[in-house]
């Protein structure tokens, strides 16, 4: 079934503000690592001659389900079975649980990695070749606030981790920790690749590009792959015979090319939708029918990035939109953590079955061994998509090998796709700008231009909602953005 909702929730992080001098230095440090060219081939990195010397740091390792899947994928590669795994979490119990997972996974797979654990992030990063970031600042309680406070205003959300007021405030909670991670990496492992899984993906990658342009960053998300996987299954086409290219922004990219043996699969999808009306009762099927290109994120996600659906009861019913569903998904993830921990303590084996290999292990394997792969990743838009802003992050195909993650030139998106992306990007640009300038007014402006929020609330309500969320999240936010602002009309 398409749109089965795959979501990962990372482990907790608190603020780790680097000294002001370190933040200032990040803008210029290691800038020689960046290679600017017409096709934006970024950052060549040298690898250890011996893959067994590779050090992989996990930030937010206490995200047990995600950590288990990543570790199983990494240790399944013959060349990576003896790597060093440096696990970091700020929660001692979750860190201990992550260590149990790592050792149990290695035992079950017959691998022999060196496993170290660190409550101190800098120690985990020391000498790392790769850094996998899966933190979630504020954890489940912050997610609850991001849903319940807007709901009091009548604002509906489905996932609230990418755009909208939920995405804005998740980003603002995450940016101060990214400041610390970037500063620490530039000191402890300046040539390492930061493989980011933390949402909001596009905002986080754009922010890192602004504060630490010399840092090697690739944002990884499985949405393009799973979209193609599920569509191929729906159409009865072998996945390994499908050629595809996705491009846009994370969680709102488009299948620009979707072919089987040189022929477009879109006509077959059109026939299927015509024959089975119930298939059309999903947001991204509706968007595809109207825009002509298939969106690469689930209907639950896609519904809250546009102004057309969540504000209308009849549309929610027509398209079967699960408003607020992510709260239960998040609660289930918390429950699964406790269940996994109890199973580990009881000595039970881990379930290491998985549907596909995650991107991070593939990227690491390709850079270490030179085996070339093509994945979709999130990188700064330095001439890659010409009709989207150059100071933001885009999701594009990338070639990965010993030279690193090298994004492919896309050119112009179809005009209707770019138009929708630009409304998405505007929210992120303002959110990043708010953090860079410390101007709380810009936070409110980001919420004002958000499509779903603007379709639902008045400007006075938007300002008051931002005040309420600012108060609720308190010292998780950047210091300059912790004050409330009276609406100009009050």
């Amino acid at each position: 079934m398409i749109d089965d909702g795959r979501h990962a929730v990372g482990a907790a992080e608190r603020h780790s503000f680097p000294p002001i001098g370190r933040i200032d230095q990040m803008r210029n440090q290691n800038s020689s690592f960046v290679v600017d060219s017409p096709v934006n081939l970024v950052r060549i990195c040298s690898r250890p001659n011996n893959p067994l010397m590779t050090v992989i740091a996990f930030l937010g390792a206490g995200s047990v389900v995600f950590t288990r899947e990543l570790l199983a994928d990494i240790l399944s590669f013959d060349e990576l079975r003896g790597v060093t795994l440096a696990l970091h979490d700020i929660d001692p119990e979750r860190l201990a649980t992550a260590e149990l997972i790592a050792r149990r996974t290695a035992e079950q797979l017959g691998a022999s990695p060196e496993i170290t654990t660190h409550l101190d992030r800098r120690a985990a990063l020391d000498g790392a070749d790769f850094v996998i970031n899966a933190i979630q600042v504020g954890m489940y309680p912050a997610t609850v606030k991001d849903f319940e406070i807007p709901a009091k205003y009548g604002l509906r959300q489905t996932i609230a981790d990418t755009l909208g007021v939920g995405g804005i405030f998740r980003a603002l909670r995450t940016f101060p920790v990214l400041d610390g991670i970037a500063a620490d990496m530039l000191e402890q492992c300046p040539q390492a690749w930061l493989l980011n899984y933390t949402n909001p993906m596009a905002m986080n990658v754009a922010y890192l590009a602004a504060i630490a342009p010399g840092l090697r960053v690739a944002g990884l998300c499985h949405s393009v792959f799973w979209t193609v996987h599920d569509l191929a299954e729906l159409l009865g086409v072998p996945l390994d015979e499908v050629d595809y290219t996705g491009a846009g922004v994370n969680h709102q990219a488009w299948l620009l090319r979707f072919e089987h043996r040189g022929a477009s699969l879109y006509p077959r999808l059109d026939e299927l939708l015509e024959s089975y009306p119930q298939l059309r009762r999903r947001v991204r099927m509706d968007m595809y029918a109207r825009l002509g290109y298939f969106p690469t994120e689930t209907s639950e996600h896609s519904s809250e990035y546009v102004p057309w659906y969540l504000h209308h009861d009849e549309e929610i019913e027509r398209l079967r939109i699960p408003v607020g569903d992510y709260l239960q998904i998040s609660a289930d993830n918390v429950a699964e953590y406790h269940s996994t921990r109890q199973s580990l303590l009881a000595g039970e084996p881990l379930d290491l079955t998985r549907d596909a290999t995650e991107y991070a292990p593939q990227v690491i394997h390709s850079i270490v061994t030179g085996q070339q792969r093509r994945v979709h990743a999130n990188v700064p838009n330095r001439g890659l998509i010409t009709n989207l802003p150059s100071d933001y992050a885009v999701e594009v195909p990338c070639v990965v090998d010993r030279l690193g993650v090298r994004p492919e030139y896309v050119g112009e998106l179809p005009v209707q796709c770019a138009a929708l992306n630009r409304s998405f990007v505007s929210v992120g640009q303002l959110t990043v700008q708010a953090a860079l300038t410390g101007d709380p007014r810009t936070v409110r402006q980001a919420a004002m231009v958000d499509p779903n929020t603007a379709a639902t609330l008045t400007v006075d309500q938007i300002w008051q909602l931002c005040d309420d969320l600012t108060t609720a999240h308190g010292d998780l936010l950047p210091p300059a953005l912790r004050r409330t602002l009276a609406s100009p009309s009050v």
Side-chain angles (χ1 to χ4, degrees):
M1 286 289 293
I2 199 162
D3 277 341
D4 59 354
R6 297 172 171 90
H7 308 286
V9 177
E13 265 283 3
R14 294 194 187 96
H15 281 303
S16 180
F17 293 105
I20 294 299
R22 289 173 66 199
I23 296 176
D24 292 340
Q25 291 168 7
M26 287 192 288
R27 297 182 187 276
N28 297 316
Q29 190 172 354
N30 296 321
S31 60
S32 60
F33 290 162
V34 181
V35 178
D36 290 320
S37 74
V39 293
N40 190 35
L41 302 182
V42 297
R43 304 192 273 260
I44 297 174
C45 76
S46 58
R47 304 301 321 137
N49 292 328
N50 183 357
L52 297 181
M53 297 172 59
T54 301
V55 179
I56 305 169
F58 283 74
L59 306 184
S63 172
V64 296
V65 177
F66 198 49
T67 297
R68 179 188 68 206
E69 293 175 349
L70 288 173
L71 287 172
D73 287 339
I74 289 170
L75 298 179
S76 292
F77 287 115
D78 288 340
E79 298 89 346
L80 302 179
R81 292 165 69 80
V83 298
T84 295
L85 302 171
L87 309 178
H88 165 68
D89 202 281
I90 63 168
D91 184 319
E93 180 188 289
R94 282 185 171 265
L95 183 59
T97 304
E99 182 180 8
L100 286 172
I101 289 174
R103 297 195 183 280
R104 188 69 49 81
T105 301
E107 177 185 351
Q108 290 181 215
L109 293 176
S112 54
E114 179 182 346
I115 300 168
T116 63
T117 60
H118 310 272
L119 289 169
D120 176 59
R121 183 177 63 215
R122 287 174 61 82
L125 293 174
D126 189 19
D129 298 297
F130 301 94
V131 179
I132 297 175
N133 183 38
I135 64 170
Q136 184 190 352
V137 180
M139 295 290 283
Y140 178 64
T143 299
V144 172
K145 293 174 184 176
D146 285 341
F147 273 93
E148 292 186 348
I149 294 173
K152 293 177 182 178
Y153 288 80
L155 181 60
R156 293 164 170 162
Q157 300 177 101
T158 51
I159 308 295
D161 71 349
T162 299
L163 214 66
V165 291
I168 291 168
F169 278 86
R170 180 179 284 238
L172 295 176
R173 296 194 302 271
T174 305
F175 290 165
V177 184
L178 294 182
D179 286 335
I181 291 171
D184 288 347
M185 285 185 64
L186 290 173
E187 291 182 4
Q188 302 296 102
C189 52
Q191 295 192 58
W193 278 92
L194 175 58
L195 305 179
N196 181 68
Y197 277 98
T198 296
N199 283 321
M201 177 67 73
M203 293 191 205
N204 288 340
V205 173
Y207 183 74
L208 285 165
I211 66 164
L215 201 64
R216 298 185 175 102
V217 179
L220 304 179
C221 176
H222 48 209
S223 60
V224 176
F225 169 82
W226 282 115
T227 294
V228 175
H229 173 282
D230 292 351
L231 283 175
E233 186 177 82
L234 193 66
L235 296 173
V237 178
L239 178 62
D240 60 2
E241 296 180 9
V242 176
D243 296 313
Y244 62 95
T245 293
V249 291
N250 181 243
H251 289 178
Q252 199 185 67
W254 314 93
L255 283 185
L256 303 180
R257 181 185 178 199
F258 180 46
E259 299 175 356
H260 179 235
R261 297 178 179 174
S264 174
L265 285 168
Y266 276 145
R268 289 178 61 172
L269 181 58
D270 294 340
E271 293 174 6
L272 194 66
L273 291 175
E274 186 66 28
S275 301
Y276 296 94
Q278 286 300 308
L279 279 176
R280 299 200 295 269
R281 295 187 60 208
R282 299 293 286 157
V283 165
R284 60 178 175 168
M285 293 296 185
D286 192 71
M287 291 176 66
Y288 163 66
R290 298 174 191 279
L291 297 170
Y293 292 89
F294 202 83
T296 62
E297 188 48 86
T298 63
S299 289
E300 288 80 3
H301 272 283
S302 298
S303 66
E304 64 181 0
Y305 307 150
V306 295
W308 313 318
Y309 301 120
L310 289 178
H311 188 50
H312 306 284
D313 292 342
E314 61 273 20
E315 290 295 84
I316 290 174
E317 180 179 356
R318 177 176 75 91
L319 298 171
R320 300 173 290 175
I321 303 173
V323 175
D325 194 46
Y326 192 56
L327 274 179
Q328 186 57 53
I329 293 171
S330 298
D332 291 345
N333 283 330
V334 173
E336 188 165 3
Y337 161 74
H338 292 293
S339 174
T340 301
R341 176 171 171 78
Q342 291 306 310
S343 295
L344 287 164
L345 294 174
E348 298 173 5
L350 289 171
D351 179 6
L352 300 181
T353 59
R354 41 215 195 280
D355 295 326
T357 303
E358 270 289 350
Y359 272 165
Q362 295 183 59
V363 169
I364 292 169
H365 183 262
S366 287
I367 293 177
V368 169
T369 67
Q371 180 177 329
Q372 193 171 92
R373 290 181 171 88
R374 185 175 186 259
V375 303
H376 285 73
N378 295 272
V379 295
N381 184 28
R382 298 191 178 103
L384 298 170
I385 299 180
T386 54
N387 53 351
L388 289 184
S390 60
D391 63 345
Y392 205 62
V394 290
E395 189 163 62
V396 295
C398 298
V399 173
V400 190
D401 54 23
R402 287 192 202 279
L403 298 180
V405 180
R406 296 178 289 132
E408 297 178 0
Y409 174 78
V410 173
E412 286 197 356
L413 293 178
V415 63
Q416 69 274 29
C417 298
L420 203 57
N421 282 162
R422 281 193 290 268
S423 66
F424 184 113
V425 167
S426 294
V427 181
Q429 285 180 304
L430 285 164
T431 303
V432 170
Q433 187 67 16
L436 294 176
T437 63
D439 185 353
R441 183 181 295 264
T442 313
V443 176
R444 280 77 183 161
Q445 292 166 351
M448 287 170 61
V449 303
D450 174 68
N452 181 44
T453 306
T456 307
L457 304 180
T458 67
V459 287
D460 281 342
Q461 288 175 317
I462 291 170
W463 279 56
Q464 184 58 54
L465 171 56
C466 287
D467 276 359
D468 289 353
L469 286 167
T470 298
T471 301
H473 291 303
D475 62 5
L476 292 178
L477 302 175
L481 301 180
R482 295 175 189 171
R483 63 187 178 94
T484 59
L485 283 181
S487 175
S489 65
V490 175

